[in-house]
Amino acid sequence: MSGQTPPTHTLLTHEALIMSSLEELPTVVFPALFKEAFAGRQTNLLKAMVAAWPFPCLPVGSLMKKPNLETLQALLDGIDMRLTREFHPRRAKLQVLDMRNMYHAFWNIRADANDSDCKSKTLDEKQLVKVLPRYARRQRLKVIVNLSISSHFNKSKAYFLNWAKQRIGSLYFCCIKMKIWDPPDQVIRDIFNVFDPEHITELELNTDWTLLQLAHFAPYFGHMKNLQKVFLAPLHKNTSPIINITSATEAKCVHKIISQFSQFNCLQHIFMKHVHFLRDYMNQVLGCLMTPLETLSITQCLISQRDFDLFSCSQNLFKLKHLEIRGMILYALDLMPLRGLLQKVADTLEILDFQWCRM
């Protein structure tokens, strides 16, 4: 192509011509052209562009505001084209398919930008590649997602997960943020068979699981070694003993869950709501931590004097920036340990919240 590049909306009226000349198109045209094809749901062109993508990363998640099954199928078909031995696009450089729904500066590249501008926009993607083991970087394209897992998936999510299960050996799947909402046990097993829990940095666990179910989940939890933020709300809502479970078994389950906190290398933010089974065990949770916390949020949980007493002597709380204790019954407790903690975090604490506490 010579001279100025025509506007992308004009190019899209000649889909067949574009598909046959992708190897000759200027690199800087790809982002705007891809966005136009994506918005117009031109699935054949999308498939061809994914296969020939000339950048290390395709941050398509920021374009997927509303799931569309046909568009998703086209994207994944483009990845499948790259996996075939017969297909070797000359300029294809794709290493990371980022499907997270988040802002990405890459899509601000204009069609009249030069190659150096384009390259500068993709430098951040090197950080994504660093997340993964070297052998994976050498051998397999990475697919990065955030997942919300429940007992019911929409058609797009169900299609993607089924597609992923069939390509475990060909692609490397990485989940950064995961939300879990009472899925069946088999779904949990399937998910962690595809996604290595080691790459999860944020976990939100919203379940009504019993302690036995939580204990069964504990090994997956413990493998999230790079977890930075965890939301536990609610977990095991019932405060009465579980039917058909002895106190010894209950204690063993709690210990199995708590012991996983010692596996986290960089956990800094803990949020708990309606987590009643940790009453009298907070000292063990905080004592297990490998790094000091920046955030501790406890909402509507049962807490004991024994739990409170450890606050002023737990070194993993001495660098808190955010302390939130909400909806708790505190009037019967000796609050002096809390006062001691506040004195020790006076230089670091930025947010203090005691809403709806009976003091």
Side-chain angles (χ1 to χ4, degrees), residues 175-222:
C175 178
I176 305 299
K177 298 180 181 180
M178 181 176 288
K179 296 181 180 181
I180 298 178
W181 303 80
D182 279 323
D185 292 345
Q186 184 58 49
V187 172
I188 291 290
R189 287 192 291 269
D190 288 345
I191 290 295
F192 286 111
N193 190 38
V194 174
F195 297 94
D196 187 344
E198 183 176 346
H199 302 303
I200 297 173
T201 62
E202 292 189 19
L203 173 69
E204 185 171 333
L205 201 56
N206 296 274
T207 76
D208 287 331
W209 288 343
T210 66
L211 279 179
L212 284 173
Q213 289 173 304
L214 286 170
H216 289 150
F217 178 77
Y220 297 120
F221 188 41

Side-chain angles (χ1 to χ4, degrees), residues 293-306:
L293 290 179
E294 290 188 9
T295 302
L296 178 62
S297 175
I298 306 174
T299 302
Q300 296 177 339
C301 297
L302 295 179
I303 195 167
S304 68
Q305 184 65 55
R306 179 181 175 183

Side-chain angles (χ1 to χ4, degrees), residues 161-352:
L161 292 175
N162 185 59
W163 177 86
K165 284 194 295 184
Q166 297 176 30
R167 288 156 182 81
I168 293 175
S170 304
L171 302 171
Y172 194 92
F173 294 94
C174 180
C175 178
I176 305 299
K177 298 180 181 180
M178 181 176 288
K179 296 181 180 181
I180 298 178
W181 303 80
D182 279 323
D185 292 345
Q186 184 58 49
V187 172
I188 291 290
R189 287 192 291 269
D190 288 345
I191 290 295
F192 286 111
N193 190 38
V194 174
F195 297 94
D196 187 344
E198 183 176 346
H199 302 303
I200 297 173
T201 62
E202 292 189 19
L203 173 69
E204 185 171 333
L205 201 56
N206 296 274
T207 76
D208 287 331
W209 288 343
T210 66
L211 279 179
L212 284 173
Q213 289 173 304
L214 286 170
H216 289 150
F217 178 77
Y220 297 120
F221 188 41
H223 279 98
M224 301 177 190
K225 299 183 184 299
N226 291 301
L227 198 64
Q228 299 174 17
K229 183 182 296 186
V230 60
F231 298 80
L232 307 177
L235 294 181
H236 180 46
K237 293 191 297 185
N238 298 325
T239 59
S240 58
I242 305 174
I243 299 175
N244 297 328
I245 183 173
T246 65
S247 58
T249 301
E250 185 171 348
K252 186 179 295 185
C253 289
V254 173
H255 176 74
K256 185 175 182 179
I257 297 164
I258 291 175
S259 64
Q260 307 307 318
F261 282 86
S262 65
Q263 305 299 315
F264 307 137
N265 298 320
C266 45
L267 182 62
Q268 293 184 308
H269 308 277
I270 295 179
F271 299 81
M272 295 188 293
K273 184 176 182 180
H274 298 300
V275 184
H276 301 311
F277 70 90
L278 289 180
R279 183 179 185 179
D280 289 329
Y281 289 100
M282 286 298 297
N283 62 327
Q284 294 185 35
V285 173
L286 297 175
C288 281
L289 298 178
M290 301 295 290
T291 54
L293 290 179
E294 290 188 9
T295 302
L296 178 62
S297 175
I298 306 174
T299 302
Q300 296 177 339
C301 297
L302 295 179
I303 195 167
S304 68
Q305 184 65 55
R306 179 181 175 183
D307 294 324
F308 239 61
D309 289 344
L310 71 93
F311 278 15
S312 62
C313 57
S314 176
Q315 294 189 5
N316 284 326
L317 296 180
F318 291 174
K319 294 185 179 180
L320 279 178
K321 294 182 179 180
H322 180 182
L323 176 61
E324 182 177 274
I325 299 177
R326 309 177 71 182
M328 312 277 280
I329 301 175
L330 303 179
Y331 64 81
L333 301 179
D334 177 9
L335 300 183
M336 289 302 293
L338 180 59
R339 179 179 179 180
L341 172 63
L342 294 179
Q343 291 174 340
K344 291 177 179 178
V345 299
D347 293 335
T348 60
L349 196 64
E350 299 173 359
I351 299 176
L352 179 63

